[in-house]
Amino acid sequence: MAVKTVYDLIIIGSGPGGYVAAVKAAQLGLKTACVEKSPRPGGVCLNVGCIPSKALLDSSEYYHLAKTHLGDHGIKTGKVSLDLKTVMARKDKVVADLTNNVKKLLEGNGVTLIKGKASLKDKGQVQVTARGKKATILEGRNILLATGSQPVEIPDLPFDGEHIIDSTDALSLPSVPKHLGIVGGGYKGNELGCVLRP
Ligand SMILES: Cc1cc2nc3c(=O)[nH]c(=O)nc-3n(C[C@H](O)[C@H](O)[C@H](O)COP(=O)(O)OP(=O)(O)OC[C@H]3O[C@@H](n4cnc5c(N)ncnc54)[C@H](O)[C@@H]3O)c2cc1C
């Protein structure tokens, strides 16, 4: 396997940690590469976290207002109903627009965005594997791990994508569940609970 390019900095992960560091490093004059295994940059935050959850919260707030409060203001709407498909399509568009902006931001600042799964090899070497492509080796004087986190299963409640779901699944449900129990009362549980409250 041939050694290809030498970077001052290779960043693994293009979430808020990775892409902000990449842009700053490039602006400071470092030859910077950012490796991302997901199809779109932006990490959890832009793809399956902050941004889609806020887009859904926005929609659910309008729905709630239309259903319960507009009448108080003398605004008559008739029967209000929810078209979840449109809600999800809007959320997907918000995500697509913003992740595209992150891609442009990286490229506009001269960061090389590399698609593929990175793993550490010898000192200063990062191997990148992408489906259908030969693995490549990048050389870096510095390597920054910005690989983020992912939902953790509770041992006796493995995710099945249907009855036991994680926050990522909850952002793309095909219908609003009639009953929903949320394990975890942090901001994710609270936010998604507000969105999905029937
Ligand atoms: C539903 C939800 C709502 C949230 N709302 C908020 C909010 O309102 N405000 C807030 O501040 N935070 C929020 N968060 C948290 C926020 O999303 C995270 O704190 C943030 O995404 C962490 O950024 P990061 O760059 O560290 O990691 P991540 O965003 O997880 O990015 C890591 C990236 O590394 C990539 N990666 C991992 N391993 C490899 C590898 N081997 N090779 C290549 N790429 C790799 C991943 O694909 C990913 O794109 C929310 C999270 C969720 C789930």
Side-chain angles (χ1 to χ4, degrees):
M1 218 181 307
V3 170
K4 288 207 166 160
T5 317
V6 181
Y7 292 93
D8 294 316
L9 177 63
I10 299 172
I11 299 177
I12 304 177
S14 69
Y19 84 77
V20 175
V23 167
K24 191 69 190 172
Q27 287 171 347
L28 291 172
L30 300 185
K31 186 172 174 53
T32 306
C34 185
V35 187
E36 175 54 57
K37 67 178 179 174
S38 298
R40 291 195 294 216
V44 167
C45 179
L46 275 87
N47 288 284
V48 289
C50 333
I51 298 303
S53 67
K54 274 12 150 233
L56 292 181
L57 263 182
D58 203 16
S59 298
S60 65
E61 188 174 0
Y62 278 118
Y63 179 55
H64 178 70
L65 285 175
K67 243 174 63 170
T68 58
H69 290 307
L70 291 187
D72 300 345
H73 295 266
I75 301 168
K76 301 208 185 304
T77 54
K79 193 173 180 314
V80 176
S81 63
L82 186 76
D83 174 3
L84 191 62
K85 237 177 157 178
T86 303
V87 171
M88 291 297 175
R90 176 186 169 277
K91 179 258 306 176
D92 291 341
K93 182 173 182 320
V94 170
V95 168
D97 287 350
L98 291 187
T99 52
N100 201 25
N101 285 348
V102 169
K103 185 168 180 278
K104 285 187 195 154
L105 184 69
L106 288 166
E107 289 169 352
N109 279 280
V111 175
T112 307
L113 181 58
I114 298 169
K115 279 191 186 164
K117 185 169 183 185
S119 54
L120 299 177
K121 296 305 276 183
D122 290 341
K123 193 165 181 278
Q125 289 199 337
V126 172
Q127 178 174 298
V128 181
T129 47
R131 197 180 295 170
K133 288 193 179 164
K134 239 176 123 187
T136 51
I137 295 281
L138 310 174
E139 280 225 338
R141 292 185 184 91
N142 299 282
I143 296 168
L144 174 65
L145 304 183
T147 49
S149 60
Q150 53 192 33
V152 176
E153 278 182 347
I154 295 176
D156 290 334
L157 290 175
F159 297 128
D160 62 13
E162 198 182 344
H163 299 296
I164 303 175
I165 61 174
D166 62 18
S167 60
T168 301
D169 296 324
L171 291 166
S172 296
L173 286 171
S175 60
V176 179
K178 287 205 167 60
H179 304 282
L180 179 69
I182 296 178
V183 180
Y187 65 89
K188 294 175 202 167
N190 274 302
E191 251 182 23
L192 292 169
C194 290
V195 167
L196 293 169
R197 197 171 59 120

